[in-house]
Amino acid sequence: MNKEQVEGALKDAAGKVQQEIGKLVGSTEQQAKGLAKQVEGKAEKAVGDAKDAFKK
């Protein structure tokens, strides 16, 4: 696992938490920010996956 994969997975998880907290407190802004962070994390993880595949 490389740096991008780890950071992407962490951002994805943090985004899920942020989105759920937004739902609990009724903040659509926090839900949207959480969702955006998840997308960013998944994209970063995909870059890491591609780099890992290229190395092999």
Side-chain angles (χ1 to χ4, degrees):
M1 208 171 215
N2 61 35
K3 179 181 172 185
E4 285 87 3
Q5 289 171 314
V6 172
E7 287 180 3
L10 290 174
K11 283 182 186 176
D12 185 31
K16 287 178 184 176
V17 170
Q18 186 174 11
Q19 183 182 18
E20 288 302 315
I21 289 172
K23 285 180 185 177
L24 289 173
V25 298
S27 172
T28 55
E29 181 181 354
Q30 288 302 314
Q31 290 178 43
K33 286 181 180 180
L35 194 56
K37 193 176 284 187
Q38 288 178 56
V39 170
E40 182 182 346
K42 287 177 183 172
E44 190 170 353
K45 185 179 180 306
V47 168
D49 290 344
K51 284 183 178 181
D52 196 40
F54 182 72
K55 287 181 182 179
K56 294 178 181 179

